[in-house]
C-alpha cells in the first residue's frame, strides 16, 4: 500500500479516529489536509503529518457551512493539490450536554443530522467535481455500528449513522461511472471522549446499566457483545480506511465494513 504523490482530505482529522486515519495515510506517503473546527488540535496533527510524509495542510472547516466547505476544496488545491482521497469522518453524538439527558431533544436531532449527514453531503459535493474531472477518486465515510440497528438510548445518533450508510450507497451509485469508489466503515466500541458521553447516556437510559460509570458500561458491553472480547482502536479503523483508499480496493464500492470485533455479523 503506497499513497506517495496522492492527496488526502480528512474531515474531523484533528483528534480521535480522524487523527489516526490522517497519520496512517501520511505514513503510507500521502499529503494530508486536516479539515476541522478544532484549530489547536488540527495544528498539532498537521505538524505530526508534516514530519511523517513531508506535506500537510489544515483548513478550519465547519462541515455544516457550505462556504467553508468550498473554501476547503480550493485551499486543498492551492496548498497540496487536487484530492485523490476523501475521508468523511467529522461527527458528533448530540447537541450540548446531550449525554446528561435520558431522551433526545429536537436540537439533538437537528445538530446531529446537520453534522453527520448534511455536513458529509456538503463536503462530498465540493470534492466530487475535482475527482470527476480526473476520473479517479476514493471516498470513505465513517458511519457506526449504531447505524446497524436501533439504539434505545441514542435514537438521533443511530438514525444519523443509518443515513450515512444509505448516503454511501447512493453516492457510490452516482459516482461509479466516474471511476470513484465510495465505501463506509462502522467502527465498533472505541474508548474516546465521544464514547464516554455514550456510556453516560446508556447508564441513564438502559436499566441494565443503571449506576455504572461510563467505563464500566463500556467494559460490560465489550464482555457481553463483542465476540473478540477486546475494544477497537482508532488505528484499527485507520487500517480499514487505508484499504478502501488503496488500489487494492479499486473494484469495491457501495460497501459497509464493520470494524467491531464481530459485534455485528452483517
Ligand atoms: N468513538 C467511537 O466509539 C465511535 C464509534 C463509531 C463511530 N464513531 C464515529 O467516528 C467519527 C470520529 O469520532 P471520534 O470518536 O474520533 O470523535 P472525536 O470527537 O474525537 O472526533 C470528531 C472530530 O470531528 C470534529 N468535528 C465535530 N464537528 C465538526 C464540524 N461541524 N466540522 C468539522 N469538524 C467537526 C471534532 O472537532 C473532532 O476533531 C465520528 O463520525 C463518530 O461518529 C466513533
Amino acid at each position: 500500500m503506497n499513497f506517495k504523490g496522492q492527496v488526502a482530505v480528512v474531515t474531523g482529522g484533528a483528534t480521535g479516529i480522524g487523527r489516526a486515519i490522517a497519520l496512517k495515510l501520511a505514513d503510507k506517503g500521502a499529503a494530508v489536509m486536516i479539515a476541522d473546527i478544532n484549530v489547536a488540535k488540527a495544528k498539532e496533527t498537521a505538524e505530526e503529518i508534516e514530519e511523517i510524509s513531508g506535506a500537510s495542510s489544515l483548513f478550519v472547516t465547519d462541515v455544516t457551512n457550505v462556504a467553508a466547505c468550498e473554501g476547503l476544496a480550493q485551499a486543498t488545491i492551492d496548498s497540496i493539490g487536487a484530492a485523490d482521497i476523501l475521508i468523511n469522518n467529522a461527527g458528533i453524538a448530540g447537541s450540548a450536554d446531550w449525554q446528561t439527558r435520558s431522551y433526545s431533544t429536537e436540537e439533538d436531532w437537528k445538530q446531529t443530522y446537520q453534522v453527520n449527514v448534511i455536513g458529509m453531503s456538503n463536503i462530498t459535493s465540493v470534492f466530487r467535481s475535482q475527482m470527476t474531472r480526473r476520473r479517479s477518486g476514493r471516498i470513505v465515510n465513517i458511519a457506526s455500528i449504531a447505524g446497524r440497528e436501533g439504539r434505545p438510548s441514542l435514537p438521533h445518533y443511530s438514525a444519523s449513522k443509518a443515513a450515512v450508510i444509505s448516503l454511501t450507497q447512493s453516492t457510490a451509485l452516482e459516482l461509479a461511472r466516474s471511476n470513484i469508489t465510495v465505501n463506509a466503515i462502522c467502527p465498533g466500541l472505541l474508548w474516546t471522549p465521544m464514547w464516554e458521553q455514550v456510556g453516560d447516556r446508556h447508564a441513564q437510559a438502559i436499566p441494565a446499566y443503571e449506576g455504572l460509570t461510563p467505563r464500566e458500561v463500556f467494559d460490560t458491553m465489550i464482555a457481553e457483545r463483542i465476540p473478540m472480547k477486546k475494544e477497537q482502536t482508532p488505528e484499527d479503523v485507520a487500517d480499514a480506511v487505508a484499504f478502501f483508499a488503496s488500489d487494492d480496493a479499486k473494484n469495491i464500492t457501495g460497501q459497509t465494513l464493520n470494524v467491531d470485533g464481530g459485534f455485528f455479523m452483517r
Side-chain angles (χ1 to χ4, degrees):
M1 198 175 288
N2 187 347
F3 298 119
K4 209 160 178 48
Q6 294 196 39
V7 169
V9 177
V10 184
T11 71
T15 63
I17 293 172
R19 173 179 169 275
I21 293 168
L23 294 179
K24 174 82 188 186
L25 298 177
D27 185 53
K28 298 293 171 192
V32 185
M33 164 65 87
I34 303 293
D36 205 296
I37 45 175
N38 186 337
V39 188
K41 290 283 179 195
K43 223 170 152 199
E44 282 176 26
T45 305
E47 280 167 11
E48 280 182 84
I49 292 165
E50 185 86 35
E51 276 177 30
I52 299 170
S53 72
S56 74
S57 196
L58 76 92
F59 191 81
V60 182
T61 316
D62 179 346
V63 297
T64 68
N65 180 325
V66 173
C69 297
E70 286 164 350
L72 168 69
Q74 191 56 49
T76 304
I77 293 182
D78 294 346
S79 59
I80 51 176
D84 301 286
I85 298 165
L86 169 63
I87 314 299
N88 278 311
N89 162 80
I92 60 169
S95 66
D97 298 329
W98 74 277
Q99 73 279 11
T100 62
R101 298 181 288 272
S102 58
Y103 57 94
S104 301
T105 63
E106 190 180 357
E107 270 314 298
D108 289 330
W109 281 95
K110 279 186 184 162
Q111 289 187 28
T112 306
Y113 258 72
Q114 197 70 41
V115 176
N116 296 3
V117 186
I118 300 172
M120 183 175 282
S121 167
N122 289 342
I123 292 281
T124 303
S125 298
V126 298
F127 280 101
R128 61 188 287 164
S129 52
Q130 290 184 23
M131 292 179 171
T132 303
R133 258 196 308 275
R134 298 156 73 225
R135 288 197 53 76
S136 159
R138 297 271 189 277
I139 300 175
V140 185
N141 296 332
I142 303 302
S144 168
I145 52 165
R148 288 297 203 180
E149 71 172 21
R151 280 279 188 278
S153 56
L154 53 162
H156 60 282
Y157 179 75
S158 192
S160 79
K161 291 301 188 177
V164 167
I165 294 170
S166 174
L167 178 61
T168 299
Q169 294 166 352
S170 300
T171 318
L173 281 168
E174 264 185 284
L175 298 183
R177 63 178 170 275
S178 302
N179 193 36
I180 298 165
T181 67
V182 189
N183 292 291
I185 286 173
C186 291
L189 302 183
L190 292 87
W191 185 245
T192 60
M194 185 184 278
W195 214 98
E196 231 174 307
Q197 296 176 0
V198 173
D200 234 350
R201 175 73 159 246
H202 281 354
Q204 298 198 49
I206 302 175
Y209 298 141
E210 210 181 313
L212 299 187
T213 64
R215 182 69 212 197
E216 286 166 345
V217 173
F218 183 80
D219 289 338
T220 306
M221 284 187 71
I222 302 271
E224 290 177 350
R225 302 292 303 269
I226 300 212
M228 299 290 289
K229 303 288 177 215
K230 54 186 173 210
E231 63 194 83
Q232 287 75 64
T233 65
E235 289 71 27
D236 293 334
V237 178
D239 288 344
V241 167
F243 168 67
F244 275 143
S246 76
D247 215 39
D248 295 345
K250 61 180 172 302
N251 215 5
I252 301 174
T253 197
Q255 303 305 307
T256 299
L257 177 68
N258 303 331
V259 179
D260 66 352
F263 194 129
F264 283 97
M265 296 204 178
R266 60 182 155 82

